């Protein structure tokens, strides 16, 4: 993917990543902490994570095309290097979203006639498993969001360094 309506596709596709990664991280975190919420989200949780996962290589591929078509400097190279590191985080979000969805789905199925969904067949019933799932989800969600921030910050710096003046230049009046 190279251009969309005359603009580099990367500058459009990154907005999906910027929105979807934190949204998926938030949905995963809420779902793992509150299994009833995960049950209500249903298949939407892993589908959101899948769309997020697929958006990362699309944005990365479009970014690699753009990198070949701009003057390369250290800031652009740094941004590209950071961008290459997001896919494992997105894969982690997806894998955990599938696990949380599956566990919440199983916990909603009555076992031995129990309508509460809190029987011994519940994958979340063991405290160590639940604690591990919460901690792992929090770590992956936080890592993904921090990585998106770092990548976006480096991309903005690469695109805008020396590209604007700190003083206003004519036409629209001063905000002083």
């Amino acid at each position: 993917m190279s251009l969309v309506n005359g603009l580099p596709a990367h500058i459009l596709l990154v907005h999906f990543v910027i929105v979807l990664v934190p949204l998926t991280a938030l949905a995963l975190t809420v779902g793992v902490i509150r299994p009833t919420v995960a049950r209500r989200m249903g298949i939407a949780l892993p589908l959101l994570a899948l769309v997020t996962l697929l958006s990362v290589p699309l944005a990365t591929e479009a970014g690699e095309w753009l990198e070949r078509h701009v003057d390369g400097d250290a800031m652009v190279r740094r941004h590209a290097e950071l961008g290459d590191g997001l896919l494992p985080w997105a894969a982690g979000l997806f894998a955990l979203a599938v696990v949380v969805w599956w566990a919440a789905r199983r916990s909603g199925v009555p076992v031995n006639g129990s309508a509460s969904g809190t029987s011994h067949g519940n994958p979340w019933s063991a405290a160590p498993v639940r604690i591990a799932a919460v901690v792992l989800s929090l770590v992956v969600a936080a890592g993904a969001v921090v990585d998106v921030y770092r990548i976006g910050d480096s991309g903005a710096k690469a695109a805008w360094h020396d590209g604007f003046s700190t003083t206003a230049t004519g036409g629209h009046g001063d905000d002083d």
Side-chain angles (χ1 to χ4, degrees):
M1 192 172 285
S2 56
L3 297 174
V4 174
N5 201 27
L7 294 173
H10 179 70
I11 62 175
L12 300 172
L13 292 172
V14 296
H15 290 87
F16 288 107
V17 174
I18 291 167
V19 170
L20 291 175
V21 169
L23 183 62
T24 302
L26 178 62
L28 172 64
T29 301
V30 171
V32 76
I33 292 171
R34 306 276 311 208
T36 57
V37 174
R39 238 185 340 271
R40 275 186 263 159
M41 282 190 276
I43 194 73
L45 178 61
L47 288 178
L48 174 64
L50 179 61
V51 171
T52 301
L53 176 60
L54 296 174
S55 71
V56 171
L58 287 175
T60 303
E61 187 67 29
E64 289 171 358
W65 177 89
L66 182 58
E67 184 181 18
R68 291 188 300 270
H69 291 83
V70 297
D71 292 335
D73 64 14
M75 295 176 101
V76 171
R77 285 189 298 279
R78 174 73 177 145
H79 174 64
E81 289 169 6
L82 287 172
D84 289 338
L86 184 58
L87 189 58
W89 291 111
L93 287 173
F94 174 69
L96 288 166
V98 169
V99 168
V100 168
W101 166 73
W102 178 81
R105 190 169 172 240
R106 298 258 312 164
S107 69
V109 176
V111 178
N112 297 331
S114 169
S116 67
T118 58
S119 66
H120 295 293
N122 181 350
W124 294 119
S125 62
V129 171
R130 185 157 163 68
I131 291 169
V134 168
V135 169
L136 185 58
S137 294
L138 287 172
V139 167
V140 171
V145 170
V146 167
D147 207 33
V148 165
Y149 171 80
R150 292 177 61 224
I151 295 164
D153 183 60
S154 71
K157 287 178 180 173
W160 287 98
H161 74 92
D162 296 331
F164 66 96
S165 173
T166 56
T167 59
T169 57
H172 299 294
D174 292 344
D175 291 332
D176 294 327

